[in-house]
Amino acid sequence: MAEQVLRTLMRTTDLVVAGFFSPAAVAAVGLADIYGRLPLWFGLGVGDGAIALSSQDTGSGQVANRNEAVTQALGLGILAGLPFVLFGLVGSYWAIGILGAEAETVRLGGLYLAIIMVTAPAFHVTMIAARSIQGTGDTRTPMYVNAGANAINIVLTVTLAFGLGPFPELSIVGIALATAVGDTLAALTFLLIIHSSVSDLSFVRPTKLVVARQLLVISAPRIAEGITELIAEFPFNAILLTFGTEVNAAYHIGRRVYQQLSSPLSRGYGTAANIICGQSLGRGDPEEAYFNGLAAAGIAVLTVGALGAGIFATAEWVVLVFTRDPATIAYATDFARAYAIATVLIALYVVLAGSLRGGSETRPPFYAKVTGAVFFLLGITYVFGVQLEYGVVAAYVAIVADWLWRNLFVGAVYLRKGWLERGTAMMHERGSLTGDDD
């Protein structure tokens, strides 16, 4: 959870520092971040495949299969990062320009995007290696590595952007370079740890096609889930802009409050649920996996729900960190409170989805996100907000309704227990359960 807080703080720092230069710099970072989520979601997708197989094979004691899965996942991440490098080098300015940005925003955003995309393979390695190590039950090592890299990133962001000490003032380029350096250092450190005796993992020569196929089967829906969220951002932001620029800015502020304060805790519980459910399945105890998922969900609801209540009560003061514009403050407070209400639903969903992923089941969260985005987030906002003229209030309701629907969908899948059978069947397929042939 501490790791998640620092990662989110790093992104918040980027936006705050960019704000010292110009509105164009803020817009440039925000627009580039839209494309930056593509390698993020790919890394999360393959990382989820790696943590599922790593945790299951740790539980079953199948070290060879675990090392095979981790090695293949890292190789896949590096290869998949190369197209992003090419995109950053030849298409970054075009990508910002097609969003309708002004010339200065295109110039700054193109530079920022090119730099962060060049290190996409390193970013993938960081995401995948961290989850692979977490799957063994070691959550401290990834925390130390990522915390150190993120701290370096934050310090370099301020130093390079403002030109402190012997460094020149690089503005937005300095922000991007700090991110690139942090990601590269983290990736190299993780590779050294896996290669050394510090980690229980080891690199091997990949030989099992069944492991590669399972990695792709688990990862693909997770990657698609992220792309769906990215695509939905465009029409949702367009609808909010019809209510006014202040409303759109307020949405991003309200969402950032949630992402910084409560989201790291939810993601931490989700990762923990993934690990403990996967390891229980690996030990051949699906009932324990089922109970562990529910227990993790209960703890998440109680703790994150209490945090959400605090955010709701203090929202008006929290948003002042991001803006002093009276109109924006009013809307941002309402968005922050909408997310505060949804916080308990988000925590429950993230943990249930994490438990399913521990059983190698990544399809239901994808289906839940697609239907939730289309029918609730976009549908309610457009129909009630635009067509029936309820305005921005419809967006507040849509945010909560979206997460409520996701819980109903994923919760039904969880209770039917089919994910336990899927995880067990996939372990049998790759020979990871006691009694299976190697």
Side-chain angles (χ1 to χ4, degrees):
M1 294 176 188
E3 173 190 345
Q4 300 287 353
V5 169
L6 278 172
R7 184 73 189 182
T8 309
L9 179 61
M10 181 193 73
R11 292 303 178 204
T12 302
T13 302
D14 287 354
L15 284 173
V16 172
V17 171
F20 280 92
F21 293 100
S22 67
V26 176
V29 172
L31 293 176
D33 185 57
I34 293 175
Y35 294 101
R37 293 180 208 171
L38 290 172
L40 167 66
W41 280 107
F42 193 95
L44 283 173
V46 179
D48 275 356
I51 195 173
L53 271 59
S54 175
S55 61
Q56 291 167 7
D57 291 344
T58 295
S60 65
Q62 292 293 331
V63 175
N65 277 353
R66 183 181 65 190
N67 291 337
E68 175 92 18
V70 171
T71 303
Q72 290 198 27
L74 286 169
L76 178 60
I78 293 172
L79 290 175
L82 298 180
F84 292 116
V85 174
L86 181 62
F87 171 72
L89 293 175
V90 303
S92 61
Y93 293 96
W94 169 84
I96 302 297
I98 63 170
L99 296 177
E102 296 179 353
E104 181 63 7
T105 300
V106 171
R107 184 183 72 83
L108 295 174
L111 279 171
Y112 182 92
L113 183 59
I115 294 170
I116 63 172
M117 282 295 184
V118 165
T119 56
F123 182 58
H124 285 169
V125 167
T126 298
M127 300 286 288
I128 296 166
R131 279 155 178 74
S132 298
I133 295 173
Q134 288 170 342
T136 68
D138 177 8
T139 57
R140 291 187 176 183
T141 299
M143 180 190 69
Y144 295 145
V145 173
N146 281 323
N150 291 335
I152 291 172
N153 190 329
I154 292 171
V155 172
L156 283 178
T157 293
V158 176
T159 302
L160 296 178
F162 296 122
L164 302 182
F167 298 98
E169 182 179 320
L170 298 177
S171 181
I172 195 171
V173 172
I175 299 173
L177 285 174
T179 299
V181 170
D183 288 341
T184 302
L185 288 176
L188 292 175
T189 303
F190 274 122
L191 292 176
L192 287 174
I193 287 174
I194 294 176
H195 184 66
S196 71
S197 60
V198 174
S199 171
D200 292 334
L201 302 174
S202 300
F203 292 118
V204 298
R205 178 175 295 178
T207 58
K208 291 189 174 183
L209 290 177
V210 64
V211 172
R213 185 181 64 79
Q214 288 191 3
L215 277 172
L216 292 174
V217 167
I218 297 171
S219 302
R222 181 68 162 134
I223 296 170
E225 183 183 344
I227 294 174
T228 298
E229 180 176 293
L230 178 62
I231 293 173
E233 280 289 311
F234 290 99
F236 188 64
N237 276 276
I239 295 172
L240 293 181
L241 282 169
T242 65
F243 303 140
T245 302
E246 293 83 2
V247 171
N248 185 260
Y251 161 68
H252 289 286
I253 292 172
R255 187 181 183 192
R256 175 55 57 178
V257 169
Y258 141 72
Q259 289 175 330
Q260 183 63 62
L261 297 180
S262 63
S263 180
L265 195 60
S266 298
R267 293 200 303 267
Y269 282 127
T271 299
N274 192 324
I275 295 169
I276 60 177
C277 289
Q279 290 189 357
S280 294
L281 276 177
R283 289 191 293 269
D285 194 343
E287 288 304 316
E288 181 185 66
Y290 182 79
F291 173 80
N292 285 342
L294 292 178
I299 295 172
V301 166
L302 290 174
T303 55
V304 181
L307 181 58
I311 294 173
F312 187 94
T314 61
E316 189 172 357
W317 292 276
V318 174
V319 300
L320 292 176
V321 175
F322 299 91
T323 184
R324 296 288 174 171
D325 178 70
T328 305
I329 289 173
Y331 290 121
T333 299
D334 290 337
F335 271 112
R337 284 175 172 160
Y339 272 109
I341 293 171
T343 289
V344 65
L345 298 172
I346 296 171
L348 178 58
Y349 168 80
V350 169
V351 172
L352 292 179
S355 300
L356 295 184
R357 291 171 186 135
S360 303
E361 181 58 279
T362 54
R363 295 169 298 178
F366 167 58
Y367 299 148
K369 178 166 286 188
V370 171
T371 52
V374 173
F375 296 109
F376 293 89
L377 186 64
L378 296 176
I380 290 177
T381 305
Y382 179 73
V383 173
F384 289 90
V386 178
Q387 295 297 315
L388 299 180
E389 300 182 351
Y390 283 95
V392 68
V393 174
Y396 307 147
V397 175
I399 289 170
V400 178
D402 176 26
W403 289 103
L404 177 60
W405 163 252
R406 293 196 208 184
N407 274 287
L408 292 174
F409 191 104
V410 171
V413 173
Y414 186 96
L415 295 175
R416 286 200 296 266
K417 299 186 178 181
W419 59 282
L420 299 169
E421 298 173 2
R422 177 181 171 85
T424 301
M426 292 182 75
M427 283 188 287
H428 276 302
E429 184 182 27
R430 65 179 186 273
S432 289
L433 284 178
T434 303
D436 291 337
D437 293 329
D438 293 332

